[in-house]
Amino acid sequence: MDLTTRYLGLSLKNPLVVSACPLGLDVGNIRKLEDNGAAAIVLPSIFQEDIESELEEIEHLVALADAEALTYFPDHLAENAGPKNYLELIRKARTAVDMPVIASLNGTSRTGWIDYAKQIEQAGASAIELNVFFLPTDLTLSGAEVEARHVEILKAVKQTVSIPVAIKLSPYFSSPGTMVQTLDKAGADGFVLFNRFYQPDIDLENLTLVRDLKLSNRGEIRLPLLWIGALYGKVKGSLAATSGVQSAAEVIKYLFAGADVVMTASALLRHGIDYMKALHDGMVADLAEREVQSLSQLRGSMSRGKVADQTAFDRVNYIRILRGGKYVA
Ligand SMILES: Cc1cc2nc3c(=O)[nH]c(=O)nc-3n(C[C@H](O)[C@H](O)[C@H](O)COP(=O)(O)O)c2cc1C
């Protein structure tokens, strides 16, 4: 059975990718994930705030330095600018495994931190996943401005590096499909659908805000499933599914919808690294039972363009569901 797939122009041995999460902070984990079947890994994000605070520190040092020290600073700066540990992690991960190592760059505005993308490339990352985790809580900001900001950041990163750049998006656009197509035209090499948002809760006893992180459940595949199904065949860039994978069944569903790769974090954090093998073997068993020879046979065959009943992707479906009288308690 041929499980190979292409993602961001990279050739992967199968469609299972470790999503950005703390497991990727440890090179031993990264090696085990590869041994258990992972075909690529996205490292946890380096944040604009981390990069900027280190740059500020360096500027402060430069301001304090005397003329003699300044002649020494340029090389020193080039060597140290940006959080060094992340670059070191990329280097070590690349040496430790054969699979592609994708760095995750997380920021919300187009400022000096974008140069750090170049250092990520130089450290040996196979690609960059750009995560624009932007909450427009500034109520004067229009939807068009938020969209334009995504395009600007993507273009800035694309101009800085020559490795492929995927963009991880929120589902909260007035028209997510158009947003993806706009970014596709702007040069994105792939789309990671979707970012999960971590909203605060209120602790009624202590009247404090709760900032916990809930791992996902399988019901969460439905939103990415819908949009991957709608976008399959409509963009040049690759489609990556993230959210809700708990078993091989979700992996298979995402492939049917049209995903080039399927990412997973919560399931691995819940069950441990070895669970990658369960996902891998479960996927292979399912495909064997369907007598699938290669992924291209099933990929996208349940996408919006391919199913006979396209209404499942549309408003008609909404009306039918509400009137259908079938409830899952
Ligand atoms: C503990 C934890 C840390 C995460 N850290 C990051 C991160 O640094 N950058 C990022 O883009 N996504 C991060 N995510 C989101 C995951 O990459 C993934 O998109 C999300 O959890 C949905 O996938 P899942 O249902 O398989 O968990 C994190 C998720 C978890 C659970």
Side-chain angles (χ1 to χ4, degrees), residues 79-102:
E79 202 176 280
N80 288 311
K84 280 169 74 180
N85 293 346
Y86 196 71
L87 301 176
E88 200 46 38
L89 176 67
I90 297 170
R91 280 187 209 105
K92 285 191 184 144
R94 273 312 299 275
T95 335
V97 290
D98 292 329
M99 65 181 174
V101 173
I102 301 169

PDB file of all heavy atoms in Angstrom, residues 79-102:
ATOM      1  N   GLU A  79      24.946  36.622  15.695  1.00  0.00           N
ATOM      2  CA  GLU A  79      25.059  35.295  16.270  1.00  0.00           C
ATOM      3  C   GLU A  79      23.934  35.007  17.275  1.00  0.00           C
ATOM      4  O   GLU A  79      23.433  33.908  17.373  1.00  0.00           O
ATOM      5  CB  GLU A  79      26.391  35.269  17.005  1.00  0.00           C
ATOM      6  CG  GLU A  79      26.998  33.938  17.245  1.00  0.00           C
ATOM      7  CD  GLU A  79      28.343  34.188  17.905  1.00  0.00           C
ATOM      8  OE1 GLU A  79      29.278  34.498  17.162  1.00  0.00           O
ATOM      9  OE2 GLU A  79      28.422  34.111  19.130  1.00  0.00           O
ATOM     10  N   ASN A  80      23.562  36.069  17.995  1.00  0.00           N
ATOM     11  CA  ASN A  80      22.650  35.829  19.108  1.00  0.00           C
ATOM     12  C   ASN A  80      21.216  36.293  18.906  1.00  0.00           C
ATOM     13  O   ASN A  80      20.366  36.002  19.726  1.00  0.00           O
ATOM     14  CB  ASN A  80      23.183  36.512  20.370  1.00  0.00           C
ATOM     15  CG  ASN A  80      24.389  35.781  20.893  1.00  0.00           C
ATOM     16  OD1 ASN A  80      24.348  34.572  21.038  1.00  0.00           O
ATOM     17  ND2 ASN A  80      25.453  36.498  21.124  1.00  0.00           N
ATOM     18  N   ALA A  81      20.964  37.080  17.835  1.00  0.00           N
ATOM     19  CA  ALA A  81      19.626  37.645  17.696  1.00  0.00           C
ATOM     20  C   ALA A  81      18.583  36.542  17.658  1.00  0.00           C
ATOM     21  O   ALA A  81      18.796  35.496  17.056  1.00  0.00           O
ATOM     22  CB  ALA A  81      19.545  38.487  16.439  1.00  0.00           C
ATOM     23  N   GLY A  82      17.468  36.792  18.314  1.00  0.00           N
ATOM     24  CA  GLY A  82      16.389  35.800  18.321  1.00  0.00           C
ATOM     25  C   GLY A  82      16.668  34.728  19.333  1.00  0.00           C
ATOM     26  O   GLY A  82      17.811  34.454  19.671  1.00  0.00           O
ATOM     27  N   PRO A  83      15.581  34.086  19.830  1.00  0.00           N
ATOM     28  CA  PRO A  83      15.787  33.063  20.839  1.00  0.00           C
ATOM     29  C   PRO A  83      16.636  31.912  20.300  1.00  0.00           C
ATOM     30  O   PRO A  83      16.244  31.203  19.383  1.00  0.00           O
ATOM     31  CB  PRO A  83      14.363  32.620  21.149  1.00  0.00           C
ATOM     32  CG  PRO A  83      13.535  33.793  20.810  1.00  0.00           C
ATOM     33  CD  PRO A  83      14.175  34.417  19.624  1.00  0.00           C
ATOM     34  N   LYS A  84      17.795  31.796  20.884  1.00  0.00           N
ATOM     35  CA  LYS A  84      18.763  30.816  20.379  1.00  0.00           C
ATOM     36  C   LYS A  84      18.304  29.377  20.575  1.00  0.00           C
ATOM     37  O   LYS A  84      18.580  28.509  19.766  1.00  0.00           O
ATOM     38  CB  LYS A  84      20.107  31.008  21.109  1.00  0.00           C
ATOM     39  CG  LYS A  84      20.926  32.142  20.549  1.00  0.00           C
ATOM     40  CD  LYS A  84      22.081  32.471  21.438  1.00  0.00           C
ATOM     41  CE  LYS A  84      23.190  31.426  21.348  1.00  0.00           C
ATOM     42  NZ  LYS A  84      24.315  31.770  22.238  1.00  0.00           N
ATOM     43  N   ASN A  85      17.626  29.175  21.690  1.00  0.00           N
ATOM     44  CA  ASN A  85      17.256  27.786  22.008  1.00  0.00           C
ATOM     45  C   ASN A  85      16.389  27.145  20.935  1.00  0.00           C
ATOM     46  O   ASN A  85      16.521  25.958  20.639  1.00  0.00           O
ATOM     47  CB  ASN A  85      16.504  27.726  23.339  1.00  0.00           C
ATOM     48  CG  ASN A  85      17.411  28.090  24.476  1.00  0.00           C
ATOM     49  OD1 ASN A  85      18.640  28.123  24.311  1.00  0.00           O
ATOM     50  ND2 ASN A  85      16.826  28.380  25.624  1.00  0.00           N
ATOM     51  N   TYR A  86      15.503  27.964  20.361  1.00  0.00           N
ATOM     52  CA  TYR A  86      14.600  27.417  19.349  1.00  0.00           C
ATOM     53  C   TYR A  86      15.386  26.991  18.111  1.00  0.00           C
ATOM     54  O   TYR A  86      15.138  25.933  17.529  1.00  0.00           O
ATOM     55  CB  TYR A  86      13.551  28.460  18.977  1.00  0.00           C
ATOM     56  CG  TYR A  86      12.358  27.885  18.248  1.00  0.00           C
ATOM     57  CD1 TYR A  86      11.426  27.097  18.909  1.00  0.00           C
ATOM     58  CD2 TYR A  86      12.155  28.121  16.892  1.00  0.00           C
ATOM     59  CE1 TYR A  86      10.327  26.568  18.248  1.00  0.00           C
ATOM     60  CE2 TYR A  86      11.065  27.600  16.227  1.00  0.00           C
ATOM     61  CZ  TYR A  86      10.150  26.823  16.910  1.00  0.00           C
ATOM     62  OH  TYR A  86       9.063  26.293  16.245  1.00  0.00           O
ATOM     63  N   LEU A  87      16.348  27.826  17.755  1.00  0.00           N
ATOM     64  CA  LEU A  87      17.176  27.499  16.579  1.00  0.00           C
ATOM     65  C   LEU A  87      17.985  26.233  16.848  1.00  0.00           C
ATOM     66  O   LEU A  87      18.152  25.374  15.973  1.00  0.00           O
ATOM     67  CB  LEU A  87      18.102  28.666  16.247  1.00  0.00           C
ATOM     68  CG  LEU A  87      17.394  29.992  15.938  1.00  0.00           C
ATOM     69  CD1 LEU A  87      18.408  31.100  15.711  1.00  0.00           C
ATOM     70  CD2 LEU A  87      16.487  29.848  14.718  1.00  0.00           C
ATOM     71  N   GLU A  88      18.425  26.114  18.085  1.00  0.00           N
ATOM     72  CA  GLU A  88      19.196  24.932  18.481  1.00  0.00           C
ATOM     73  C   GLU A  88      18.310  23.684  18.410  1.00  0.00           C
ATOM     74  O   GLU A  88      18.739  22.616  17.946  1.00  0.00           O
ATOM     75  CB  GLU A  88      19.709  25.162  19.925  1.00  0.00           C
ATOM     76  CG  GLU A  88      20.870  24.313  20.351  1.00  0.00           C
ATOM     77  CD  GLU A  88      21.998  24.219  19.332  1.00  0.00           C
ATOM     78  OE1 GLU A  88      22.304  25.210  18.660  1.00  0.00           O
ATOM     79  OE2 GLU A  88      22.561  23.109  19.204  1.00  0.00           O
ATOM     80  N   LEU A  89      17.060  23.852  18.839  1.00  0.00           N
ATOM     81  CA  LEU A  89      16.113  22.729  18.773  1.00  0.00           C
ATOM     82  C   LEU A  89      15.922  22.278  17.317  1.00  0.00           C
ATOM     83  O   LEU A  89      15.928  21.080  17.020  1.00  0.00           O
ATOM     84  CB  LEU A  89      14.765  23.158  19.383  1.00  0.00           C
ATOM     85  CG  LEU A  89      13.630  22.143  19.306  1.00  0.00           C
ATOM     86  CD1 LEU A  89      13.930  20.916  20.187  1.00  0.00           C
ATOM     87  CD2 LEU A  89      12.293  22.764  19.749  1.00  0.00           C
ATOM     88  N   ILE A  90      15.779  23.245  16.431  1.00  0.00           N
ATOM     89  CA  ILE A  90      15.607  22.906  15.002  1.00  0.00           C
ATOM     90  C   ILE A  90      16.822  22.112  14.510  1.00  0.00           C
ATOM     91  O   ILE A  90      16.682  21.055  13.880  1.00  0.00           O
ATOM     92  CB  ILE A  90      15.423  24.181  14.139  1.00  0.00           C
ATOM     93  CG1 ILE A  90      14.146  24.927  14.529  1.00  0.00           C
ATOM     94  CG2 ILE A  90      15.409  23.841  12.649  1.00  0.00           C
ATOM     95  CD1 ILE A  90      14.009  26.305  13.904  1.00  0.00           C
ATOM     96  N   ARG A  91      18.017  22.634  14.841  1.00  0.00           N
ATOM     97  CA  ARG A  91      19.248  21.970  14.383  1.00  0.00           C
ATOM     98  C   ARG A  91      19.321  20.541  14.900  1.00  0.00           C
ATOM     99  O   ARG A  91      19.576  19.600  14.152  1.00  0.00           O
ATOM    100  CB  ARG A  91      20.486  22.739  14.867  1.00  0.00           C
ATOM    101  CG  ARG A  91      20.772  23.928  14.030  1.00  0.00           C
ATOM    102  CD  ARG A  91      22.101  24.579  14.417  1.00  0.00           C
ATOM    103  NE  ARG A  91      21.990  25.995  14.114  1.00  0.00           N
ATOM    104  CZ  ARG A  91      21.825  26.963  15.012  1.00  0.00           C
ATOM    105  NH1 ARG A  91      21.815  26.683  16.299  1.00  0.00           N
ATOM    106  NH2 ARG A  91      21.681  28.207  14.629  1.00  0.00           N
ATOM    107  N   LYS A  92      19.058  20.386  16.205  1.00  0.00           N
ATOM    108  CA  LYS A  92      19.167  19.050  16.810  1.00  0.00           C
ATOM    109  C   LYS A  92      18.112  18.105  16.236  1.00  0.00           C
ATOM    110  O   LYS A  92      18.395  16.939  15.941  1.00  0.00           O
ATOM    111  CB  LYS A  92      18.976  19.149  18.331  1.00  0.00           C
ATOM    112  CG  LYS A  92      20.177  19.715  19.042  1.00  0.00           C
ATOM    113  CD  LYS A  92      20.005  19.527  20.537  1.00  0.00           C
ATOM    114  CE  LYS A  92      21.142  20.172  21.299  1.00  0.00           C
ATOM    115  NZ  LYS A  92      20.702  20.768  22.558  1.00  0.00           N
ATOM    116  N   ALA A  93      16.904  18.623  16.056  1.00  0.00           N
ATOM    117  CA  ALA A  93      15.825  17.768  15.539  1.00  0.00           C
ATOM    118  C   ALA A  93      16.159  17.317  14.118  1.00  0.00           C
ATOM    119  O   ALA A  93      15.964  16.156  13.753  1.00  0.00           O
ATOM    120  CB  ALA A  93      14.503  18.521  15.576  1.00  0.00           C
ATOM    121  N   ARG A  94      16.689  18.242  13.319  1.00  0.00           N
ATOM    122  CA  ARG A  94      17.017  17.887  11.940  1.00  0.00           C
ATOM    123  C   ARG A  94      18.081  16.792  11.869  1.00  0.00           C
ATOM    124  O   ARG A  94      18.057  15.933  11.004  1.00  0.00           O
ATOM    125  CB  ARG A  94      17.505  19.128  11.173  1.00  0.00           C
ATOM    126  CG  ARG A  94      16.413  19.953  10.547  1.00  0.00           C
ATOM    127  CD  ARG A  94      15.395  19.163   9.758  1.00  0.00           C
ATOM    128  NE  ARG A  94      15.913  18.417   8.619  1.00  0.00           N
ATOM    129  CZ  ARG A  94      16.093  18.905   7.413  1.00  0.00           C
ATOM    130  NH1 ARG A  94      15.796  20.156   7.148  1.00  0.00           N
ATOM    131  NH2 ARG A  94      16.539  18.146   6.438  1.00  0.00           N
ATOM    132  N   THR A  95      19.017  16.836  12.817  1.00  0.00           N
ATOM    133  CA  THR A  95      20.065  15.813  12.797  1.00  0.00           C
ATOM    134  C   THR A  95      19.520  14.489  13.326  1.00  0.00           C
ATOM    135  O   THR A  95      19.973  13.421  12.906  1.00  0.00           O
ATOM    136  CB  THR A  95      21.250  16.234  13.715  1.00  0.00           C
ATOM    137  OG1 THR A  95      21.256  17.639  13.821  1.00  0.00           O
ATOM    138  CG2 THR A  95      22.571  15.760  13.219  1.00  0.00           C
ATOM    139  N   ALA A  96      18.550  14.579  14.242  1.00  0.00           N
ATOM    140  CA  ALA A  96      18.084  13.359  14.918  1.00  0.00           C
ATOM    141  C   ALA A  96      17.148  12.509  14.062  1.00  0.00           C
ATOM    142  O   ALA A  96      17.080  11.294  14.245  1.00  0.00           O
ATOM    143  CB  ALA A  96      17.390  13.741  16.221  1.00  0.00           C
ATOM    144  N   VAL A  97      16.410  13.141  13.163  1.00  0.00           N
ATOM    145  CA  VAL A  97      15.397  12.382  12.409  1.00  0.00           C
ATOM    146  C   VAL A  97      15.495  12.621  10.900  1.00  0.00           C
ATOM    147  O   VAL A  97      16.065  13.613  10.464  1.00  0.00           O
ATOM    148  CB  VAL A  97      13.954  12.737  12.884  1.00  0.00           C
ATOM    149  CG1 VAL A  97      13.675  12.199  14.267  1.00  0.00           C
ATOM    150  CG2 VAL A  97      13.690  14.233  12.822  1.00  0.00           C
ATOM    151  N   ASP A  98      14.907  11.693  10.157  1.00  0.00           N
ATOM    152  CA  ASP A  98      14.869  11.844   8.691  1.00  0.00           C
ATOM    153  C   ASP A  98      13.655  12.652   8.247  1.00  0.00           C
ATOM    154  O   ASP A  98      13.641  13.248   7.178  1.00  0.00           O
ATOM    155  CB  ASP A  98      14.778  10.460   8.024  1.00  0.00           C
ATOM    156  CG  ASP A  98      16.064   9.678   8.240  1.00  0.00           C
ATOM    157  OD1 ASP A  98      17.118  10.325   8.338  1.00  0.00           O
ATOM    158  OD2 ASP A  98      15.991   8.428   8.330  1.00  0.00           O
ATOM    159  N   MET A  99      12.595  12.611   9.071  1.00  0.00           N
ATOM    160  CA  MET A  99      11.347  13.257   8.638  1.00  0.00           C
ATOM    161  C   MET A  99      11.506  14.783   8.635  1.00  0.00           C
ATOM    162  O   MET A  99      12.323  15.329   9.380  1.00  0.00           O
ATOM    163  CB  MET A  99      10.187  12.855   9.550  1.00  0.00           C
ATOM    164  CG  MET A  99      10.314  13.321  10.988  1.00  0.00           C
ATOM    165  SD  MET A  99       8.883  12.761  11.966  1.00  0.00           S
ATOM    166  CE  MET A  99       9.382  13.291  13.607  1.00  0.00           C
ATOM    167  N   PRO A 100      10.713  15.484   7.824  1.00  0.00           N
ATOM    168  CA  PRO A 100      10.779  16.938   7.820  1.00  0.00           C
ATOM    169  C   PRO A 100      10.427  17.528   9.187  1.00  0.00           C
ATOM    170  O   PRO A 100       9.562  17.008   9.891  1.00  0.00           O
ATOM    171  CB  PRO A 100       9.724  17.339   6.787  1.00  0.00           C
ATOM    172  CG  PRO A 100       9.571  16.172   5.899  1.00  0.00           C
ATOM    173  CD  PRO A 100       9.805  14.968   6.776  1.00  0.00           C
ATOM    174  N   VAL A 101      11.143  18.586   9.539  1.00  0.00           N
ATOM    175  CA  VAL A 101      10.896  19.299  10.792  1.00  0.00           C
ATOM    176  C   VAL A 101      10.402  20.698  10.416  1.00  0.00           C
ATOM    177  O   VAL A 101      11.109  21.464   9.755  1.00  0.00           O
ATOM    178  CB  VAL A 101      12.198  19.393  11.623  1.00  0.00           C
ATOM    179  CG1 VAL A 101      12.007  20.281  12.844  1.00  0.00           C
ATOM    180  CG2 VAL A 101      12.666  17.995  12.021  1.00  0.00           C
ATOM    181  N   ILE A 102       9.180  20.978  10.816  1.00  0.00           N
ATOM    182  CA  ILE A 102       8.548  22.247  10.445  1.00  0.00           C
ATOM    183  C   ILE A 102       8.556  23.165  11.671  1.00  0.00           C
ATOM    184  O   ILE A 102       8.096  22.763  12.748  1.00  0.00           O
ATOM    185  CB  ILE A 102       7.095  21.997   9.950  1.00  0.00           C
ATOM    186  CG1 ILE A 102       7.114  21.050   8.743  1.00  0.00           C
ATOM    187  CG2 ILE A 102       6.398  23.313   9.623  1.00  0.00           C
ATOM    188  CD1 ILE A 102       5.765  20.517   8.323  1.00  0.00           C
TER     189      ILE A 102
END
